[in-house]
Amino acid sequence: MSAPWAEWDHIVKLDPDKSLVDGESYADVCETGTDAIEIGGTTGMTEAKMTEVIEPCAAAGREHDVPVYIEPSHPGTVVHTDGLSGYLVPTVFNAGDIAWLTGVHKEWARMDTEIDWDRTHTEAYIVLNPDSSVAEYTQANCDLDADEVAAYATIAERLFGQEIVYLEYSGTFGDPEVVTAASDALDDATLFYGGGIGDYDTAHEMGGRADTVIVGDLVHDEGCDAVRETVRGAKEAGQERIEPDR
């Protein structure tokens, strides 16, 4: 049985430190057509902020049959509540600070007695925007060429058994050739791409190279109509990957 994310073309990532556009709800986000919702962020994360978003979002996800996952940035942001599909936990392969490979994860296992390991999965992050908060936070080495990114993707899948490899350009549109190189390096792992997806064209461009496109800031800045266009772009690109001669 394949993992659920193997079928995803599009994810909306909600930042609990940001608000939705006035007048929009988590039900509206679910109705964009996205395949899944992740809840998490890099800065300003607290348990209270996570809870405020997770509970109504999980309820909307149940109603609209959209899976909802927490993406925790540190142990204090993990919330256990009914309706969650699980936890997608980043481990940053090009981090300069080893805490973001295993250290923070060790602390979570030490502090949290309620971890549902059957629903807890890792994402092999490769952070590629040196100006992003996540790069600063993890001291990531972002000065990587396509071959190096492909090598990280290879070891993530082959040596460490990662089922998800996540190219994180965080707020800027990435290099399509780098994304293609990472995709070509993988056999069975699912390639997530995040960064600078703001319309149909950018979603279609990266959706033709990565398996799954992730939209974050757009839902907070421009709202669900804009997100819906990225869903259309990602899904049409995904269909073209399946039927390349159509």
Side-chain angles (χ1 to χ4, degrees):
M1 182 177 179
S2 63
W5 48 81
E7 306 301 322
W8 298 348
D9 296 309
H10 188 282
I11 298 170
V12 172
K13 184 182 289 188
L14 295 172
D15 187 338
D17 202 37
K18 300 178 181 179
S19 301
L20 295 179
V21 168
D22 285 348
E24 294 190 345
S25 68
Y26 298 116
D28 295 325
V29 177
C30 291
E31 291 171 357
T32 60
T34 191
D35 295 302
I37 294 173
E38 279 189 295
I39 302 172
T42 303
T43 60
M45 294 297 99
T46 65
E47 184 177 353
K49 288 179 181 178
M50 290 289 280
T51 301
E52 187 176 343
V53 172
I54 287 165
E55 292 184 352
C57 190
R62 287 196 304 272
E63 182 180 349
H64 293 84
D65 197 26
V66 176
V68 176
Y69 289 78
I70 289 178
E71 188 187 63
S73 57
H74 59 80
T77 63
V78 177
V79 176
H80 301 289
T81 189
D82 292 339
L84 282 175
S85 297
Y87 307 85
L88 296 175
V89 184
T91 179
V92 182
F93 269 58
N94 61 326
D97 182 350
I98 196 171
W100 302 104
L101 285 168
T102 56
V104 176
H105 314 74
K106 177 266 292 181
E107 285 301 293
W108 181 30
R110 184 178 67 84
M111 295 166 57
D112 191 340
T113 61
E114 300 180 53
I115 299 173
D116 183 346
W117 291 109
D118 289 337
R119 297 191 301 142
T120 299
H121 315 278
T122 50
E123 301 167 307
Y125 261 67
I126 306 168
V127 175
L128 293 168
N129 178 4
D131 298 322
S132 65
S133 295
V134 65
E136 180 179 358
Y137 207 50
T138 64
Q139 299 176 30
N141 173 21
C142 303
D143 186 20
L144 304 173
D145 62 26
D147 286 344
E148 291 173 303
V149 172
Y152 268 123
T154 297
I155 65 166
E157 180 178 36
R158 296 291 187 89
L159 289 182
F160 294 92
Q162 298 294 289
E163 296 184 26
I164 298 170
V165 174
Y166 189 144
L167 301 189
E168 175 61 286
Y169 278 90
S170 191
T172 189
F173 192 69
D175 183 340
E177 297 308 315
V178 169
V179 180
T180 297
S183 179
D184 289 346
L186 298 175
D187 289 331
D188 298 315
T190 298
L191 182 63
F192 285 7
Y193 170 85
I197 302 298
D199 54 23
Y200 173 92
D201 290 335
T202 50
H204 189 271
E205 170 75 13
M206 288 308 186
R209 299 167 188 270
D211 297 300
T212 309
V213 167
I214 299 177
V215 169
D217 291 342
L218 189 70
V219 69
H220 298 289
D221 296 340
E222 298 189 34
C224 291
D225 284 345
V227 170
R228 195 170 286 109
E229 284 300 297
T230 66
V231 172
R232 186 168 66 88
K235 287 191 173 296
E236 289 185 4
Q239 190 62 37
E240 290 163 10
R241 288 199 313 272
I242 295 169
E243 301 174 2
D245 296 326
R246 184 174 173 180

